[in-house]
Amino acid sequence: LTTRAQDFSGSDTFEFLTPLKQTTRYGISPFIGYRFGGEVEDLTTGKEYSFADGAAFGLCLDYAPLEYPGRFELLWSHQESSIDFEGNNNLGEVDIAIDIIQVGGVAEFGTERLRGYVSAHLGATHYSFEDQDNTTYFSFGIGAGVKAYLTKNLYLRGDVRGFGSVVDAEGGF
């Protein structure tokens, strides 16, 4: 039998967890995806109504000072959805457009060709209701994903994101 010891005091033992220094300044990432989840509650009855799932699309613009261990990112996402109020308050199905605009940061880990990343954003979510008042709320987002670089300046990106809107509402819907 042979044994082998690993020295965990070395600086590159967990090198894959060290954020990568950026080698390109600007990035443009158009995307298409699928958004699900989200609900509103009628405060007088306590009944909850869910947003319809559907396609979402948008754009991420990012900037990184060279040799900086992260990126600054501007995110815009749009989804056409609806909510079926089932006749409550004389409302049926109401169409709604959801636009998210947020700024934040991205930390990338891994190698130059294959990078995992985490992101965090703050901003606003704008809800445009059909024949109703439009409204905007403070929102936040978190995400994680992977970038597979095909060339120095071209990559495929896949991620999972969570968005939340901070709503403080009183009274009936």
Side-chain angles (χ1 to χ4, degrees):
L1 297 174
T2 60
T3 61
R4 205 170 142 183
Q6 176 75 30
D7 179 13
F8 286 103
S9 63
S11 63
D12 39 28
T13 302
F14 297 102
E15 186 175 322
F16 66 95
L17 293 177
T18 304
L20 289 173
K21 294 202 187 238
Q22 300 300 311
T23 56
T24 57
R25 285 189 189 244
Y26 304 100
I28 300 173
S29 300
F31 66 86
I32 187 164
Y34 191 78
R35 191 177 304 155
F36 57 90
E39 56 191 29
V40 294
E41 179 182 349
D42 183 328
L43 296 176
T44 57
T45 65
K47 184 162 175 62
E48 295 180 347
Y49 303 95
S50 297
F51 290 98
D53 302 348
F57 61 89
L59 186 67
C60 290
L61 303 173
D62 58 65
Y63 169 76
L66 290 180
E67 300 300 315
Y68 183 77
R71 304 189 76 77
F72 301 103
E73 187 171 68
L74 172 65
L75 175 139
W76 165 69
S77 177
H78 177 82
Q79 177 191 13
E80 295 289 331
S81 186
S82 64
I83 301 174
D84 187 358
F85 290 102
E86 303 164 359
N88 190 14
N89 290 325
N90 296 321
L91 294 172
E93 186 169 312
V94 175
D95 291 331
I96 181 173
I98 304 168
D99 286 288
I100 298 171
I101 299 175
Q102 297 177 339
V103 295
V106 177
E108 298 177 344
F109 308 90
T111 66
E112 290 299 315
R113 306 252 325 150
L114 185 64
R115 301 178 183 188
Y117 64 90
V118 294
S119 64
H121 296 83
L122 296 174
T125 300
H126 181 76
Y127 298 92
S128 301
F129 294 92
E130 172 192 13
D131 300 328
Q132 304 291 323
D133 291 337
N134 297 335
T135 187
T136 302
Y137 294 108
F138 171 77
S139 65
F140 59 92
I142 57 171
V146 65
K147 291 180 181 178
Y149 278 78
L150 305 175
T151 69
K152 179 183 175 192
N153 295 315
L154 181 65
Y155 58 86
L156 297 176
R157 177 177 176 166
D159 63 13
V160 175
R161 294 186 181 269
F163 296 108
S165 296
V166 179
V167 179
D168 182 15
E170 294 179 342
F173 185 85

